[in-house]
């Protein structure tokens, strides 16, 4: 068995710091918070501007907890103390300027016009907030690893399977050897055949999909560089990986795991693909032209 490569920016013994705008960080760490801290987080997310005007005692009372818990919550999201939390909440509330009727959740009685506007708003916000918090250093390391990898395995299940297939197709078109797996009985044997220099990428919005975590752990045993693509930087998947790329999607009614999270994942995947393609030019350009030519005969005559 090969020894695991030491390219990690995090490990299973570390607690990754959330990045990006304040409210994005709050949502990112929510699953890892203690119940009392989650009540504070829910109060902050429900009314950021209102909390910005509260004293620490008032917020503790609203969240049915103690001032000490509020301070612990601040530390969990990377804020030194409560005064800094209020300042950041006030600043973010002033700049976001979100119209409630557009930014709110989809309701059963919404018209189709409302649904279209809310879906478009949620997807646009997922892309924007994902771009704001992406770790460029980690992305650069993943790009380098994929460029140099003899083989790339990509694991995704459920809605994430479509994202895994998209990345596999993109990499394949620029002559990167890549395989996407959405069946655990195929993913695990494939992971067992990886070795030093290979890359294994696990995609899971929640970061708790057992099959993805298992596949990444199996790949790590054999020396592959492991990458997590997830919305939650303190999830089991993130702790399993050498490198992590995070998204910033908010799940909404009727669309759990299926739409805004997938759009955010595709944003990260596209950035990764472009980064790889830039490193292998002009071969990538030539490969894209050749693959486009190969299917040109399957377009209707007269089409561009």
């Amino acid at each position: 068995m090969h020894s695991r490569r030491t390219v990690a920016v995090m490990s299973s013994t570390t607690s990754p710091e959330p990045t990006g705008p304040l409210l994005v960080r709050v949502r990112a760490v929510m699953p890892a918070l203690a119940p009392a801290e989650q009540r504070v987080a829910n109060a902050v997310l429900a009314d950021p501007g209102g909390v910005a005007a509260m004293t620490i005692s008032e917020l503790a009372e609203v969240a049915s907890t103690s001032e000490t818990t509020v301070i612990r919550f601040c530390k969990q999201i990377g804020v030194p103390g409560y005064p800094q939390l209020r300042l950041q909440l006030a600043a973010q509330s002033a700049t976001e300027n979100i119209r409630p009727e557009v930014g709110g959740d989809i309701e059963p009685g919404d018209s189709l016009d409302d649904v279209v506007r809310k879906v478009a708003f949620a997807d646009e916000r997922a892309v924007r907030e994902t771009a704001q918090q992406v770790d460029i250093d980690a992305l650069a390391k993943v790009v380098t690893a994929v460029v140099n990898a003899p083989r790339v395995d990509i694991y995704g299940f459920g809605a994430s399977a479509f994202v895994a297939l998209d990345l596999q197709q993109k990499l394949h078109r620029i002559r990167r050897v890549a395989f996407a797996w959405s069946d655990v009985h195929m993913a695990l044997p494939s992971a067992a055949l990886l070795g030093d220099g290979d890359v294994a990428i696990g995609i899971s919005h929640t970061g708790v999909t057992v099959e993805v975590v298992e596949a990444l752990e199996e790949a790590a045993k054999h020396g592959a560089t492991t990458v997590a693509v997830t919305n939650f930087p303190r999830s089991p998947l993130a702790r399993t990986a050498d490198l992590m790329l995070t998204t910033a999607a908010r799940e909404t009614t009727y669309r759990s795991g299926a739409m805004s999270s997938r759009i955010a994942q595709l944003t990260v995947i596209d950035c990764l693909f472009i980064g790889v393609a830039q490193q292998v030019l002009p071969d990538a350009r030539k490969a894209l032209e050749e693959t486009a030519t190969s299917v040109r005969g399957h377009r209707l005559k007269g089409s561009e």
Side-chain angles (χ1 to χ4, degrees), residues 129-153:
E129 293 185 344
T130 293
Q132 288 173 339
Q133 58 80 59
V134 69
D135 186 334
I136 300 300
D137 289 338
L139 178 61
K141 287 181 172 127
V142 177
V143 167
T144 299
V146 171
V147 167
N148 296 320
R151 172 177 155 183
V152 179
D153 260 16

Side-chain angles (χ1 to χ4, degrees), residues 142-200:
V142 177
V143 167
T144 299
V146 171
V147 167
N148 296 320
R151 172 177 155 183
V152 179
D153 260 16
I154 310 158
Y155 315 118
F157 297 84
S160 296
F162 299 104
V163 181
L165 282 169
D166 184 73
L167 178 57
Q168 184 263 321
Q169 184 261 354
K170 283 182 166 68
L171 292 177
H172 190 70
R173 285 197 63 189
I174 57 172
R175 281 193 252 269
R176 302 292 101 186
V177 179
F179 301 91
W181 305 107
S182 58
D183 183 324
V184 70
H185 294 283
M186 300 179 74
L188 288 174
S190 183
L193 295 177
L194 297 178
D196 288 343
D198 292 326
V199 173

Side-chain angles (χ1 to χ4, degrees), residues 28-94:
V29 303
M30 273 281 281
L33 297 178
E37 294 167 349
Q38 287 186 353
R39 292 198 296 274
V40 178
N42 284 326
V44 168
L45 293 174
D47 186 10
V51 171
M54 293 180 185
T55 65
I56 188 171
S57 299
E58 290 170 335
L59 177 56
E61 183 177 354
V62 167
S64 302
T65 189
S66 65
E67 294 181 16
T68 302
T69 298
V70 174
I71 296 299
R72 283 202 306 267
F73 164 77
C74 293
K75 303 291 186 186
Q76 290 277 23
I77 60 172
V79 177
Y82 189 65
Q84 292 84 359
L85 176 68
R86 292 179 65 187
L87 286 172
Q88 290 189 35
L89 283 173
Q92 189 160 348
S93 298

Side-chain angles (χ1 to χ4, degrees), residues 226-249:
T226 53
V227 180
V229 178
T230 181
N231 209 71
F232 300 102
R234 296 182 184 175
S235 63
L237 180 63
R239 292 195 298 269
T240 298
D242 294 320
L243 298 163
M244 176 179 63
L245 301 174
T246 52
T247 58

Side-chain angles (χ1 to χ4, degrees), residues 198-210:
D198 292 326
V199 173
I201 301 174
I203 304 173
S204 170
H205 172 73
T206 61
V208 297
T209 304
V210 173

